[in-house]
Amino acid sequence: MTGRIVIAGASMGGLRAAEQLRAAGWAGAITVVGDEPHMPYNRPPLSKEVLAGKAPFESLAFAPKAAAADVEWRLGTKVVAARLDERTVELDDGTALAYDGLVVATGMRPRRLRCEGPLAGRHTVRTLADAQGLREELTRPGARVVVVGGGFIGCEVAATAVGLGVTEVTVVDPLPLPMVGPLGELLARALLKRHEERGVHFALGTGVAGFEGEDRVTGVVLGDGTVLPADVVVESVGSIANTEWLDGNGLDLTDGVLTDELLRVGGLPEVVAVGDVARFPNARYDGVPRRVEHWSIPTDTAKHAAKALVAHLVGGKAELAPFAPLPTFWSDQHEFRLQSFGSPVLGKDDVRVLDGDPDDDVLVGYHHDGRLVGVVALGGQAAAMGAARYRAQLLKQPALTA
Amino acid sequence: MKVVVDMNKCQDHGQCVFAAPDVFQMDDNGRLAFVPDPDDTLREEVEEAADVCPLQAIRIED
């Protein structure tokens, strides 16, 4: 069958979707639309190697598979509206594109703090342009840096800044510990200690009330009135799904786009979602739809969604099991690595050290109803390999709802 | 099929080992070892390994 599949979004999810549509047998046209000027590139280095000046764009760009060589890339433009009942999307240059299949891959954008004060000197880290702009300011001699948000990006940026020789780096977070949301208290405490030992300061248990400065930021005002002097502020306070272009189609767009167990959107077999914008049920766990911002998710969702979409479009029979990826994430900070398999967040109430010591290399297990649902290692390569040894066991577990 | 790994990029995540255990292994020191010229029947799993490499360090040359 011929026809056209439009992929809205040209980052990793868009690229993987295009490749997987070809792998699933789609021979028709594929058009990928994305607002950044670049071909898809790898984002994890943005808060690390790119900030440190160690990764030029050529080292970040994905090398598209040969089978996807005839895909049409419309870069520097974006989809601004969709009429799903007419199978048409509209681009910001006024073009209307008719489609037979649609892949929603528009991802997330950083949430911004809504506070009084100047915007200059305030940064987010989501795109290559963001990271390059931040690097320029971080590397000014004597820069004082305040990172708002003690999650993955915030902790990575703080570690990179210290590594660059920045002497004043403070992480602000309303929670009492960094990364306590995904990791729970035991590891979050160990992480805090490691950062402090390497020179990162923390202002925890308090939020940001505003920013000081005339033309650009000179200080961050905390909720308790304290002012942290700052030349550079990094806001890493979560993200917002890019779904506004889908408004008006009767979809559930609360926190991403809701999909079924085959990544289909709104009960429409010709519309699927991939990447971190997709809020999907994971059959491995409790069936509650969630968005997942792990690096592996664009690839995992693209494989499953492409099979479902192509099976519908070419009329073949898809024997597809419900989507059940094993989550995995990592984070490199200073010289240590966090490595996770499974879903620690579902077992945060029952956390046990499986091996090692929180002050050294440690491997931690997260349990739900006594059953292991996730492992996280903190430390060097041996710890990460220790976590990997539990991967097969986590894969074999029956679904949480079973 | 020829497999090329950019060892300057590789950071020993080991995701390729899960995807293609016949081609990629971690040695006793936790460093990557791999078969540079695997049989073509393993193409699908090597492609999977290249996809899941967080550093995108694996390339397949035909």
Side-chain angles (χ1 to χ4, degrees), chain B residues 1-57:
Chain B
M1 174 175 43
K2 194 169 169 234
V3 176
V4 180
V5 179
D6 183 340
M7 293 307 284
N8 292 321
K9 279 189 173 182
C10 176
Q11 291 181 7
D12 304 308
H13 280 265
Q15 297 289 331
C16 54
V17 180
F18 304 132
D22 297 327
V23 179
F24 301 95
Q25 291 98 35
M26 301 302 261
D27 69 18
D28 291 340
N29 299 317
R31 297 306 313 268
L32 181 71
F34 66 99
V35 181
D37 51 356
D39 193 273
D40 215 53
T41 55
L42 297 170
R43 180 172 292 268
E44 202 168 320
E45 56 182 82
V46 175
E47 281 185 2
E48 167 84 13
D51 282 354
V52 299
C53 170
L55 281 303
Q56 295 291 289

Side-chain angles (χ1 to χ4, degrees), chain A residues 12 16 19-20 42 44 49 58-59 62-63 65 295 299 303 328 330 332 337 339 341 381 385 388 391, chain B residues 9 11-15 18-19 26-31 47-48 50-56 59 62:
Chain A
M12 186 190 193
R16 292 289 184 245
E19 292 173 342
Q20 293 301 326
N42 206 17
E49 292 87 346
E58 307 79 72
S59 73
F62 291 109
K65 291 190 176 61
W295 182 86
T299 302
K303 279 186 183 163
T328 173
W330 84 93
D332 289 322
R337 174 173 294 168
Q339 177 68 60
F341 294 98
Q381 186 61 20
M385 286 175 73
R391 186 175 175 276
Chain B
K9 279 189 173 182
Q11 291 181 7
D12 304 308
H13 280 265
Q15 297 289 331
F18 304 132
M26 301 302 261
D27 69 18
D28 291 340
N29 299 317
R31 297 306 313 268
E47 281 185 2
E48 167 84 13
D51 282 354
V52 299
C53 170
L55 281 303
Q56 295 291 289
R59 215 169 62 242
D62 294 281

Side-chain angles (χ1 to χ4, degrees), chain A residues 111-115 119 122 148 208 211 233-235 237:
Chain A
R111 194 163 79 78
R112 298 306 302 256
L113 290 165
R114 298 171 88 178
C115 297
L119 274 170
R122 289 167 55 186
V148 186
V208 170
F211 295 98
V233 173
V234 182
E235 298 177 24
V237 290

Side-chain angles (χ1 to χ4, degrees), chain A residues 141-323:
Chain A
R144 296 162 301 178
V145 178
V146 172
V147 179
V148 186
F152 285 87
I153 300 291
C155 285
E156 289 176 359
V157 168
T160 306
V162 166
L164 277 169
V166 181
T167 51
E168 280 191 53
V169 181
T170 306
V171 176
V172 180
D173 199 294
L175 295 173
L177 291 167
M179 295 187 66
V180 67
L183 297 179
E185 199 180 316
L186 189 150
L187 272 188
R189 204 170 288 288
L191 202 71
L192 173 66
K193 190 171 168 220
R194 282 165 196 246
H195 276 286
E196 286 180 332
E197 284 168 355
R198 288 159 181 82
V200 180
H201 304 285
F202 284 84
L204 298 168
T206 180
V208 170
F211 295 98
E212 288 192 337
E214 294 293 322
D215 299 327
R216 59 169 292 138
V217 161
T218 59
V220 179
V221 186
L222 304 184
D224 61 7
T226 315
V227 179
L228 299 174
D231 308 293
V232 183
V233 173
V234 182
E235 298 177 24
S236 50
V237 290
S239 46
I240 297 168
N242 295 318
T243 55
E244 290 83 354
W245 62 281
L246 286 166
D247 283 347
N249 287 285
L251 302 178
D252 181 343
L253 300 176
T254 49
D255 190 27
V257 58
L258 178 66
T259 80
D260 66 10
E261 74 286 357
L262 298 183
L263 286 319
R264 294 174 300 202
V265 173
L268 299 167
E270 76 277 13
V271 185
V272 295
V274 307
D276 48 15
V277 75
R279 184 159 54 92
F280 61 85
N282 186 339
R284 185 173 298 283
Y285 297 113
D286 51 11
V288 177
R290 293 185 183 88
R291 287 191 318 95
V292 180
E293 296 190 28
H294 298 167
W295 182 86
S296 54
I297 282 298
T299 302
D300 291 343
T301 49
K303 279 186 183 163
H304 220 75
K307 283 182 191 151
L309 179 55
V310 173
H312 167 72
L313 292 177
V314 305
K317 200 174 167 206
E319 304 269 344
L320 269 176
F323 190 46

